[in-house]
Amino acid sequence: MKRVYIANTGGTIGMKWSPRGYCPEAGFLESQMAKMPELKAPGMPEFVIEEFDPLLDSSNMTPRDWIAIGRRLMAHRDDFDGFIVVHGTDTMAYSASALSFALRGLAKPVIFTGSQIPLVEVRSDARTNLVTALQLAAGSPVPEICLFFGNQLFRGNRATKVSAGGFGAFESPNFPALGTAGVDLQVHWDLVLPPEQGVPQPRFTEVRPAKVVALKLFPGMPPEILANALRPPTEGVVLETYGVGNGPGDAELLRVLEEAADRGVVIVNCTQCLYGRVDMEDYATGSALGRAGLTSGSDMTTEAALAKLFYLLSLGLGVDEVRRQMPRSLRGELTEVATSEPASTSP
Ligand code: ASP
């Protein structure tokens, strides 16, 4: 019988109503799951649940919690066939992205899931998300950090929360779903990354609390506010720009960016658009950002770009190397543009 480890970090799925609104309660998810006959049906894997203390609304998560998740997965790496991380939807895409970089060589499925309505409620998406995630973790050995939600299995670092209220809360705008749950559970194996070459043993990098920030350009953004955000101790910025990576040609704003880049701040250009990728050579307004020292985030989600910054800065690489790795696909998180650079091992 296959065995699945479930790390319950919290989230709506295991919450209970209180006068302050929904909040997590210790032991509640497990007690609700114990009442689900479908989890004991023939063909279902055996599973073990370990709960975080305290359980978290994922809005309260920090990189410390990414580390806690990674440590648990590492501790149980040899004992289970697959892993589920039960997680709130609000920051699930950040955690899944972070784990995709920091946890290497596990070569077993890790599936983040949760729900929009708690499992205890009569009409809830929790049942199907849990049951299917368990079946996938046990029966479809996708050796990636995935996110399963609304009948779709996504690469974790490609997913983003797009709906506050819909059951299809996540999309993977720039990469197809790795799998779909319809009448059959289908995995599109041609899209799945093989286990990483050259990483025979699982290894986990504990990210440090790097000083990174995500900022969104808007018409009339005051350069002095941008300058404030880029001041020390800022080490990295995900700048959400317009369209294919364009920004205002305002001389003062460009000077602020250039000065920060010269000081070693890594500024990643990601588009505000949900679909498509950055190409700073398309427009003069984009090439000016390139000359100011921005590095392309291609079609990465902001979640993936931030997590990648945390990870690369935690490796102690020089700023030039962090900038060089940013537009490269390390874990399938972006669509790489062909380069003449010789391939090297991924960090
Ligand atoms: N606020 C909740 C959380 O992210 C939302 C959810 O789980 O759907 O923990």
Side-chain angles (χ1 to χ4, degrees):
M1 200 185 210
K2 292 281 174 72
R3 299 187 75 228
V4 175
Y5 172 80
I6 304 179
N8 176 17
T9 71
T12 294
I13 190 164
M15 287 192 189
K16 225 179 174 177
W17 183 251
S18 83
R20 292 177 295 121
Y22 280 115
C23 54
E25 183 175 293
F28 191 56
L29 180 68
E30 200 168 347
S31 69
Q32 293 305 309
M33 285 173 69
K35 295 183 198 159
M36 288 172 65
E38 56 271 52
L39 296 182
K40 295 173 198 113
M44 287 300 284
E46 196 184 297
F47 61 87
V48 169
I49 310 182
E50 263 186 23
E51 206 170 77
F52 270 45
D53 181 19
L55 288 167
L56 295 168
D57 183 307
S58 76
S59 308
N60 283 323
M61 282 201 168
T62 70
R64 271 201 307 277
D65 301 300
W66 306 340
I67 295 174
I69 297 170
R71 283 185 183 165
R72 299 243 184 156
L73 299 180
M74 281 298 276
H76 296 292
R77 62 187 180 269
D78 297 327
D79 311 332
F80 293 89
D81 301 290
F83 302 84
I84 292 180
V85 181
V86 169
H87 198 291
T89 58
D90 287 345
T91 66
M92 192 187 289
Y94 291 88
S95 298
S97 296
L99 266 290
S100 80
F101 295 112
L103 180 59
R104 302 178 68 183
L106 183 63
K108 292 179 183 179
V110 175
I111 304 178
F112 280 73
T113 196
S115 68
Q116 292 278 54
I117 298 183
L119 178 59
V120 68
E121 302 295 345
V122 174
R123 195 176 62 83
S124 166
D125 52 334
R127 259 168 221 91
T128 167
N129 285 350
L130 263 181
V131 168
T132 314
L134 267 165
Q135 290 182 333
L136 285 167
S140 302
V142 174
E144 293 204 38
I145 309 292
C146 307
L147 188 155
F148 180 77
F149 215 93
N151 289 324
Q152 308 230 66
L153 182 72
F154 301 116
R155 175 169 298 151
N157 58 31
R158 288 291 199 157
T160 187
K161 186 172 177 183
V162 292
S163 173
F167 285 166
F170 289 86
E171 264 187 41
S172 170
N174 291 310
F175 196 75
L178 297 179
T180 39
V183 171
D184 298 313
L185 292 185
Q186 274 190 339
V187 173
H188 310 299
W189 289 104
D190 54 320
L191 301 173
V192 173
L193 290 172
E196 252 190 289
Q197 294 281 310
V199 190
Q201 291 298 325
R203 64 168 102 122
F204 178 58
T205 302
E206 303 205 348
V207 293
R208 69 173 171 84
K211 303 291 183 217
V212 303
V213 64
L215 297 169
K216 185 170 184 160
L217 275 185
F218 57 90
M221 181 184 228
E224 62 274 27
I225 302 228
L226 183 64
N228 269 340
L230 295 179
R231 265 200 192 110
T234 302
E235 299 168 82
V237 180
V238 176
L239 189 64
E240 290 188 14
T241 59
Y242 310 130
V244 288
N246 306 319
D250 177 80
E252 183 54 14
L253 201 108
L254 289 170
R255 194 193 59 75
V256 165
L257 289 169
E258 193 170 348
E259 187 269 330
D262 286 349
R263 270 191 289 113
V265 178
V266 180
I267 311 175
V268 188
N269 187 345
C270 286
T271 173
Q272 293 177 13
C273 298
L274 190 55
Y275 296 92
R277 67 175 185 83
V278 162
D279 183 348
M280 287 190 273
E281 269 130 57
D282 256 19
Y283 290 89
T285 46
S287 64
L289 294 182
R291 282 196 303 281
L294 271 67
T295 177
S296 172
S298 185
D299 54 2
M300 260 189 297
T301 60
T302 297
E303 294 92 321
L306 264 176
K308 192 169 178 178
L309 265 180
F310 268 110
Y311 173 67
L312 291 174
L313 290 168
S314 300
L315 293 179
L317 306 170
V319 169
D320 288 341
E321 186 58 15
V322 173
R323 287 185 178 138
R324 208 174 71 81
Q325 296 298 342
M326 202 41 83
R328 292 190 53 212
S329 168
L330 306 184
R331 314 281 189 267
E333 73 280 10
L334 57 77
T335 310
E336 209 171 294
V337 183
T339 104
S340 51
E341 267 198 50
S344 58
T345 49
S346 286

